[in-house]
Amino acid sequence: AINQHYITMSYQFELALRQYIAAFDGTNNISPTEFKSRFDNLYHMDFTFIAKDGMTLTREQVYEREASKLANGGTKVTLIHFRKIGLDCIDVKLGLVNGKEERTIRAVTTITARQAVTSKEIDESPASNHFILTPTSAVMAAKCANAVYKWKEFGTFQ
């Protein structure tokens, strides 16, 4: 029964993520109310985002940033991969295209109650991965941070 709970939780999160990404189709054909609803379905009220430069963004800051991308129009987001790397830990990679600018964002996301509660961006640039730190080891480090978060959330490791 516990395993089924985690499968359902990650499935519901994936659905919310795909619905959210669908808003960024490059046309800006979504109402602000519908966008806010999709944002609220995806992100937990205590959500934080840790950028690859170490800066931490609150849920409100992420919303403002994402809403401005949508308002400017032309931003197209595609899901490159969605990999479950733990019971409640997901490795997500997105492709972003805005005009001639193309880039990817990869983050390890901890989910709780079918929503993202924390995401840590993974730096995949060659400059940041010279020695032993590869994107894979950065993902594993973020996964370990996920276990610490869950320990704090539940009081015991599960």
Side-chain angles (χ1 to χ4, degrees):
I2 289 175
N3 195 26
Q4 182 64 36
H5 166 74
Y6 286 110
I7 291 170
T8 301
M9 187 168 65
S10 64
Y11 177 70
Q12 294 296 326
F13 172 74
E14 183 178 3
L15 285 178
L17 177 65
R18 288 180 182 276
Q19 289 173 345
Y20 182 76
I21 288 171
F24 294 94
D25 63 357
T27 64
N28 194 15
N29 281 342
I30 185 170
S31 72
T33 305
E34 177 62 21
F35 178 71
K36 178 76 167 115
S37 173
R38 291 183 191 190
F39 182 88
D40 290 342
N41 285 339
L42 184 61
Y43 295 108
H44 190 272
M45 60 188 299
D46 297 328
F47 178 75
T48 56
F49 179 82
I50 303 164
K52 60 186 170 189
D53 64 4
M55 185 171 67
T56 300
L57 301 175
T58 65
R59 182 181 194 269
E60 292 74 29
Q61 290 169 319
V62 170
Y63 177 75
E64 289 171 15
R65 185 178 72 174
E66 299 294 310
S68 72
K69 281 183 194 171
L70 188 68
N72 291 337
T75 301
K76 184 168 174 98
V77 178
T78 55
L79 181 62
I80 296 172
H81 74 237
F82 181 95
R83 295 184 183 136
K84 206 170 169 199
I85 58 173
L87 288 176
D88 50 9
C89 192
I90 312 292
D91 175 11
V92 177
K93 188 171 185 177
L94 303 173
L96 285 83
V97 177
N98 193 340
K100 294 185 183 204
E101 179 190 0
E102 288 188 40
R103 63 188 188 104
T104 60
I105 294 178
R106 185 175 183 184
V108 173
T109 301
T110 302
I111 58 174
T112 191
R114 300 184 306 267
Q115 293 176 304
V117 71
T118 185
S119 288
K120 180 170 182 3
E121 186 176 11
I122 305 301
D123 189 348
E124 295 185 295
S125 68
S128 70
N129 294 300
H130 274 298
F131 301 104
I132 49 173
L133 283 180
T134 64
T136 302
S137 62
V139 167
M140 295 314 293
K143 183 179 176 190
C144 290
N146 162 274
V148 171
Y149 174 84
K150 284 299 181 178
W151 185 290
K152 289 178 189 174
E153 181 181 14
F154 293 119
T156 59
F157 184 72
Q158 298 195 6

